[in-house]
Amino acid sequence: MRQAIAEKWQISGDGYFTKYSQRHLETLLGAPRVLLTSSCTHALEMCALLLDLQPGGEVIIPAFTFVSTVNAFILRGAKPVFIDIRPDTLNLDEKLLESKITPRTKAVVVVHYAGVGCEMDKIVEICQRHHLPIIEDNAHGLFASYRGKPLGTFGVMATQSFHETKNIMCGEGGALVINDPRLTERAEIIREKGTNRSQFFRGQVDKYTWVDVGSSYVLSDVLAAYLAAQLEASDKIQARRQEIWQGYHTALPDWAAQNGVTLPTVPSYCQQPAHIYYLLLPSLDYRQRLIAYLKQNQVTAVFHYQPLHLSPMGRQYGGAAGDCPVTEDLADRLLRLPLYYDLTAAQQNKVIDLIHNFHDR
Ligand SMILES: *Cc1c(COP(=O)(O)O)cnc(C)c1O
């Protein structure tokens, strides 16, 4: 970052560090094209634009995800069709997928919760049969894989987040992963305010002009420099995060069994990226008591997504209690434990000791 500023390199978008980070991600994922964006939210908006969604088109989206996964498609006038999750991985329940597909369905959005892959074999098979594009919101899943294939390479497009809360971050930032090369040219145009600026800089056209709809989805090269440094340190960051994740997973099974608590399920064919370590507690009450107890002892543990179909906005799209029973149940019982690169062994041991001493039934 110091280099980006001191050497007076281009610090708007698409400078040296943007290109460096994009190439790094293309190699890591084995994806034909990656474009850095100002956020994962904006990368999702680009997906919705690239799908040419029309008002009335339906998009199938899990009820257990971040608001951006849905907003991007609503902004194009699409109707979200919420689908429930599996009780084990908390991912879209592929057994329900066909029942949600109608003649108006335009796309299926999958979210790999905690970076544990959705059942992609089945989902890809269903979507191919119905000629439906898959979009992967892979905000949690950088470095993760399903049956050896990186998450983010299953959909026509995938999105990554480099928000401060993610494993690899630059404050605010994201990326669009383009797995279908037919979408690349238009993606570059949409990202550059609807102009063919990218082609102009490559010398492919002799002037740059307004050719399509678009917006400003480019990341500043100052932030890309921060991101490049994080990507270079990713082995170290990931190794430490894995150590912490495994630390919880090794220490908690006996306590969990005695207290009716479920630890994360990771199928043997999924490699998870140590993004989230969560507990599924017996009840909402139990969770609130555990949060309060940890807080009294200076430990912050937080819950996660609330069911989107039951939010004020979700209800405007017809969401009602009982639509997604697994989401409704688990959202109330999930608790995330502290997991970040700087967490010390002593701090983690304190969290584990506190939990071991919590018996509340
Ligand atoms: C963090 C997150 C986003 C949003 O990412 P931003 O980069 O903050 O826009 C979207 N979807 C999921 C699943 C996320 O966890």
Side-chain angles (χ1 to χ4, degrees), residues 38-42 44 65-69 111-112 137-140 159-166 171-174 275 304-305:
S38 28
S39 64
C40 179
T41 301
H42 280 164
L44 286 161
T65 182
F66 189 58
V67 290
S68 295
T69 322
V111 179
H112 307 292
D137 179 344
N138 195 33
H140 301 180
T159 64
Q160 304 294 152
S161 175
F162 304 115
H163 184 264
E164 183 168 26
T165 50
K166 305 305 198 288
E172 300 274 358
H275 177 51
H304 211 183
Y305 308 128

Side-chain angles (χ1 to χ4, degrees), residues 118-133:
C118 295
E119 287 302 327
M120 293 314 295
D121 279 356
K122 188 74 191 158
I123 295 168
V124 166
E125 184 267 309
I126 293 170
C127 289
Q128 274 176 353
R129 191 146 37 80
H130 291 270
H131 307 288
L132 289 174

Side-chain angles (χ1 to χ4, degrees), residues 1-6 9-22 36 168-172 219-233:
M1 187 152 67
R2 210 177 300 126
Q3 204 179 2
I5 295 164
W9 287 356
Q10 177 185 330
I11 58 171
S12 58
D14 283 333
Y16 174 84
F17 291 103
T18 298
K19 295 194 173 98
Y20 174 93
S21 300
Q22 289 179 170
L36 290 194
I168 297 294
M169 62 90 168
C170 61
E172 300 274 358
L219 185 74
S220 161
D221 220 52
V222 177
L223 293 177
Y226 195 110
L227 180 64
Q230 286 260 303
L231 288 169
E232 282 179 353

